[in-house]
Amino acid sequence: PESPSLGLVPPAPPAALAAALRGRYTLERELGRGGMATVWLAEDLRHHRPVAIKVLHPELAPLLGADRFAREIRTVAALSHPHILPLYDSGEAPAGLRYFVMPWVRGESLRARLAREGRLPVEEAVGIARDAAAALHYAHERGLVHRDVKPENILLHEGEAMVADFGVALAADAAPGERLTAAGFMVGTPEYMSPEQAVGERALDARSDVYGLACVLYELLAGAPPFSGGSAMALAAKRFTEPVPRIRRVRPEVPPAVEAALVRALAVEPAERFPTAAAFAEALAAALGATPPAPIAAAAPPALPALPAPSVAVLPFLNLSADPDNEFFADGITEDVIAQLSKIRALKVISRTSVMPFKGRERTLREIGAMLGVATLLEGSVRRAGSRVRIVAQLIDADSDRHLWAETYDRELTDIFAIQSDVALNIAAALEAELTHDERRRIRREPTKDLQAYQLYLQGKHCLARSTEEGMRQALDYFAQALARDPDYALAHATTGYVYSEIASGVAGALPPAEAYRQAEAAATRALAIDPGLAEAHAVMGFLHFARDYDWDAAERAFCRALELNPNSGDVLDYYGRMLTALERYDEALAVQRRAHELDPLAHRVDIATTLLRAGRHAEAVVVATEVLEVEPYLALAHATLGWAHLLSGGAAEGLAALERAVALAPESTMYLAQLGQAYARVGRAADARAVLARLEAMAGERYVSPYHLAYVFTGLGDFDRAMDWLERAHAERAGGIYGVKGSFLFSALRGQPRFEALVAKMNLA
């Protein structure tokens, strides 16, 4: 866009630039300039069209590496979105001039519109923000953060908003921040910078741009940004110390829901903002009763980001206490240190289930590191005596056995949380893993002030690790005792919700799903009310959204939020993978489950085998399930998965043998028994199938038996009406597993049946 004329003679273009562009572009006049670049109107001689050429100031050239500059610009050039100003070309000229070529938009910038009108109508302002949010979300999904969202970089063309200048911010960010700062340059504009950007954090994500866009929307509605000050430091101080000014005080006609969305988007802590620009846009659309624009679909599902290079596994801390009953305390310290480290996005942290088998230290550190796929190991010991605790921790290079960091803590038991936080922060420092302000805050937060409640919680986790029905019952009892002492113990509420969600899904326990779901929701809701940044609680809510409510979009948002808060959680990835499998998004499910396996190398392989089975990749499922059983020969789920992989590949004898083994290993499970009943029916052993059915019906007289499991057997017997009766009852009860009915190979015979298709439609899966 052109700047208003000031009646001055425009300067002539640099001779070096004009010479370098000769034959390709003809420079006509200067359109405007800023702190980092000057914009020229030019004629594209090859395509006979006007273009805008943005030329970075020559003093920036020494600060930007040519190779990195070129790579980043190629990334930006690949963006193709109706609300992003495209990048046509880029290059270098003598005298250190680097330039970008973009379309010349016949319109104006949002800044020019604001200068003319002061503020915009509410619906138009929100519409512009939604257009910009769609553009930003598209870029964020491709790994790009704009870093300089402001009215000058949003153009208005034929009633549409277009985001410009991805190239300048990204290329400038390619240089180390201290070099730019030393030279007097800053990427971003103080009035629109997120708090984390203002204090110099480099690892910015989508939430930083959400903050900048919220500042822009605030200005569109109020006529001025939410914060102002005489300097960048003064602005930063206001953001951290003052509440967000309420927009309705200066613009009463703004709907309360729009104000609420702005307040959330302008939160100081990134974790408290909308997780994505798309979520911000949806909230704004809902506030005005509009339908949010559909996001531009990627050509392929977005890949999970690569795991960070620094990696660590926390080996079980040894219990050196005189009382062997303190074993639960040492295990709890191990798990809590893992949980603290898992909050750090810049670290790859191995999950608890894969480190606990090394409690006896029968292998060398090098062997353990190789098995877990990590470069460093943390080992330690715990000695507890009365009110004091002595913790020794040491970080070791797994390959060389070299000590990278060590510390001994001899403190009062009341210091236990400070010790755990200190260990996590020191490990991050030793591995040179950069932490955000939000990560540091969450690591330092104490879960409870009541040490007795903490010890009861650790005892509950110790019971839960047994993965049995009795262990779950005991765990719930300990958690209840912990919560009786500290009703605001958010993590205890969240873990209670997790146990009930597992019971509701039919994985373990015999409680009716409706009651289990009710308890899970109550616990997770309470946890989030106390601590909105608790990943474990968001994961439970995600499970409830899809398994009980069939609200697949809400579930996905909850899982993405949980992974933002704890990117190293294998359990969150496991839940997310279940949902993706139920939606028949098998490639994405496998990617998520493989990531869970990377973070938990001795777990989650059976989930991969199950997804391969549902995807019709039977031979691959046989291979993976067999590999699982080589490590865990007594895992019933792996035997059942292998059995179906053989059956569906034509191996009836091998399949039945594996399913019978699963039933023998887990005789209390109605799921494996019912699957065996269907398998008998499929191979023509109808009498054996009916015997299984009779056994299930007898069990139903003594305990809860899922109608979903009874439907397995009737489907195998070809009694489709009875099968549908039980499936419809399972739907009404939200019985475990019903959410996965659409793509289940166990119900493939029912596909196309009117009642089955009607059921799928009720679950929002049509």
Side-chain angles (χ1 to χ4, degrees):
E2 297 188 48
S3 300
S5 172
L6 299 177
L8 301 176
V9 176
L17 177 65
L21 299 177
R22 187 172 294 119
R24 181 72 178 86
Y25 302 101
T26 299
L27 295 178
E28 296 184 0
R29 67 180 188 277
E30 181 180 317
L31 295 175
R33 63 176 60 205
M36 296 181 65
T38 302
V39 184
W40 296 85
L41 176 64
E43 176 71 16
D44 181 347
L45 300 176
R46 182 178 303 169
H47 299 103
H48 304 290
R49 60 186 176 185
V51 293
I53 298 182
K54 178 161 285 194
V55 185
L56 296 181
H57 295 328
E59 54 267 38
L60 278 176
L63 308 176
L64 306 177
D67 291 341
R68 174 73 184 270
F69 175 85
R71 286 198 305 272
E72 302 293 5
I73 294 308
R74 282 197 298 271
T75 302
V76 175
L79 296 179
S80 178
H81 188 279
H83 295 297
I84 292 179
L85 191 69
L87 185 66
Y88 283 164
D89 194 7
S90 66
E92 296 186 52
L97 297 173
R98 291 197 172 102
Y99 63 87
F100 311 86
V101 181
M102 301 164 288
W104 179 55
V105 175
R106 293 184 179 276
E108 63 181 347
S109 71
L110 202 49
R111 171 61 66 212
R113 176 78 181 277
L114 282 168
R116 189 175 68 252
E117 299 184 17
R119 59 188 192 181
L120 275 57
V122 173
E123 289 194 8
E124 184 179 2
V126 170
I128 289 170
R130 289 171 56 201
D131 287 349
L136 292 169
H137 183 68
Y138 173 88
H140 294 157
E141 287 191 321
R142 286 146 184 83
L144 299 179
V145 180
H146 192 288
R147 295 175 176 264
D148 196 18
V149 180
K150 59 185 178 181
E152 288 83 348
N153 286 335
I154 299 176
L155 309 181
L156 302 176
H157 174 61
E158 297 181 354
E160 300 285 339
M162 302 182 72
V163 180
D165 272 9
F166 274 99
V168 173
L170 187 62
D173 190 52
E178 62 273 14
R179 290 167 59 192
L180 284 173
T181 303
F185 293 98
M186 178 183 290
V187 179
T189 305
E191 287 81 3
Y192 309 94
M193 278 186 183
S194 65
E196 61 271 23
Q197 185 178 4
V199 297
E201 287 190 12
R202 302 281 292 164
L204 303 179
D205 59 22
R207 296 169 297 180
S208 183
D209 280 350
V210 167
Y211 187 98
L213 181 57
C215 289
V216 171
L217 176 57
Y218 192 102
E219 184 172 5
L220 296 183
L221 295 169
F227 298 102
S228 60
S231 67
M233 291 301 296
L235 272 169
K238 283 188 175 183
R239 288 193 176 93
F240 281 108
T241 60
E242 296 183 7
V244 177
R246 297 290 176 160
I247 191 73
R248 283 169 51 80
R249 291 179 183 172
V250 295
R251 192 86 182 268
E253 67 268 29
V254 172
V258 171
E259 181 178 66
L262 276 172
V263 169
R264 179 177 175 185
L266 291 168
V268 172
E269 298 295 344
E272 296 173 7
R273 296 177 208 146
F274 293 98
T276 65
F280 184 30
E282 288 174 9
L284 292 173
L288 295 183
T291 302
I296 302 299
L304 291 167
L307 283 171
S311 55
V312 62
V314 181
L315 298 180
F317 277 53
L318 300 177
N319 174 32
L320 301 183
S321 305
D323 185 353
D325 288 342
N326 276 326
E327 192 74 18
F328 79 88
F329 190 76
D331 288 349
I333 297 299
T334 304
E335 186 164 351
D336 283 352
V337 171
I338 292 172
Q340 295 287 50
L341 288 169
S342 294
K343 298 170 184 174
I344 303 173
R345 185 171 296 278
L347 281 180
K348 170 188 174 183
V349 184
I350 300 303
S351 297
R352 177 194 184 281
T353 50
S354 285
V355 298
M356 293 311 288
F358 297 105
K359 197 168 187 176
R361 303 286 207 286
E362 296 177 357
R363 296 179 181 272
T364 67
L365 293 180
R366 178 179 292 184
E367 290 173 330
I368 295 173
M371 291 181 69
L372 297 179
V374 295
T376 56
L377 299 164
L378 180 73
E379 62 175 8
S381 61
V382 179
R383 184 189 300 276
R384 182 179 167 198
S387 64
R388 294 194 66 82
V389 62
R390 180 184 177 88
I391 294 179
V392 178
Q394 47 193 359
L395 184 67
I396 303 169
D397 183 283
D399 192 51
S400 66
D401 209 23
R402 179 170 59 92
H403 283 59
L404 305 176
W405 169 81
E407 186 65 78
T408 298
Y409 301 89
D410 196 344
R411 307 261 190 94
E412 289 293 321
L413 194 58
T414 50
D415 291 335
I416 190 66
F417 302 126
I419 295 172
Q420 293 170 5
S421 298
D422 192 62
V423 169
L425 294 171
N426 276 300
I427 291 172
L431 297 179
E432 299 181 348
E434 186 175 355
L435 276 73
T436 66
H437 174 77
D438 179 49
E439 288 169 343
R440 288 182 185 276
R441 180 186 64 81
R442 288 191 287 116
I443 286 172
R444 289 194 174 107
R445 178 167 182 164
E446 291 186 355
T448 179
K449 299 290 185 184
D450 190 311
L451 282 177
Q452 183 61 32
Y454 175 62
Q455 292 179 71
L456 288 164
Y457 174 76
L458 293 186
Q459 288 177 279
K461 291 286 285 184
H462 193 69
C463 295
L464 188 58
R466 299 176 198 155
S467 299
T468 63
E469 290 188 23
E470 179 60 23
M472 285 188 169
R473 282 194 292 270
Q474 291 177 345
L476 289 171
D477 181 59
Y478 277 119
F479 296 153
Q481 292 180 57
L483 290 167
R485 293 190 61 90
D486 182 3
D488 291 332
Y489 196 166
L491 188 57
H493 283 293
T495 311
T496 298
Y498 169 78
V499 176
Y500 278 116
S501 68
E502 288 295 280
I503 293 172
S505 70
V507 172
L511 194 67
E515 176 61 17
Y517 280 131
R518 188 187 68 78
Q519 297 277 11
E521 181 178 31
T525 300
R526 178 65 178 142
L528 288 173
I530 300 166
D531 182 2
L534 200 57
E536 294 84 350
H538 284 285
V540 173
M541 293 304 296
F543 175 79
L544 292 170
H545 284 318
F546 83 79
R548 182 194 63 184
D549 304 333
Y550 311 131
D551 189 341
W552 308 96
D553 291 338
E556 190 151 24
R557 287 195 296 272
F559 292 135
C560 290
R561 178 75 176 118
L563 288 171
E564 282 185 295
L565 294 164
N566 191 338
N568 287 287
S569 175
D571 289 336
V572 174
L573 289 162
D574 174 56
Y575 268 155
Y576 190 18
R578 290 192 214 177
M579 188 204 79
L580 292 169
T581 300
L583 291 172
E584 300 179 284
R585 290 161 56 182
Y586 296 125
D587 288 343
E588 292 171 86
L590 288 168
V592 165
Q593 289 163 344
R594 285 171 177 144
R595 170 56 55 81
H597 175 61
E598 286 181 80
L599 295 169
D600 208 348
L602 303 186
H604 301 294
R605 286 295 298 278
V606 70
D607 300 324
I608 296 172
T610 302
T611 300
L612 289 168
L613 195 57
R614 287 176 62 105
R617 296 159 64 173
H618 304 145
E620 293 174 71
V622 168
V623 172
V624 175
T626 301
E627 291 173 348
V628 172
L629 288 170
E630 289 173 358
V631 179
E632 298 183 87
Y634 302 108
L635 185 61
L637 181 57
H639 282 284
T641 304
L642 179 62
W644 282 108
H646 280 308
L647 277 165
L648 296 173
S649 301
E654 301 97 323
L656 288 177
L659 283 163
E660 288 167 347
R661 179 64 174 152
V663 171
L665 288 169
E668 78 285 352
S669 170
T670 60
M671 180 175 72
Y672 300 130
L673 181 61
Q675 288 188 12
L676 177 61
Q678 182 178 124
Y680 282 147
R682 284 193 179 210
V683 300
R685 293 169 55 176
D688 289 329
R690 294 191 183 282
V692 166
L693 193 57
R695 185 174 165 189
L696 288 168
E697 290 169 342
M699 293 172 71
E702 302 174 357
R703 52 170 289 184
Y704 178 80
V705 173
S706 172
Y708 192 66
H709 298 160
L710 290 165
Y712 288 165
V713 187
F714 283 111
T715 301
L717 289 167
D719 190 343
F720 295 163
D721 284 340
R722 294 287 299 280
M724 283 307 309
D725 289 342
W726 286 111
L727 280 181
E728 286 166 355
R729 179 172 168 179
H731 170 264
E733 294 181 6
R734 301 303 195 263
I738 185 66
Y739 57 81
V741 69
K742 183 183 180 185
S744 174
F745 52 84
L746 295 167
F747 297 112
S748 57
L750 298 177
R751 291 176 195 157
Q753 299 278 336
R755 288 176 69 186
F756 184 82
E757 297 305 321
L759 176 66
V760 167
K762 287 181 184 177
M763 299 169 64
N764 300 318
L765 287 170

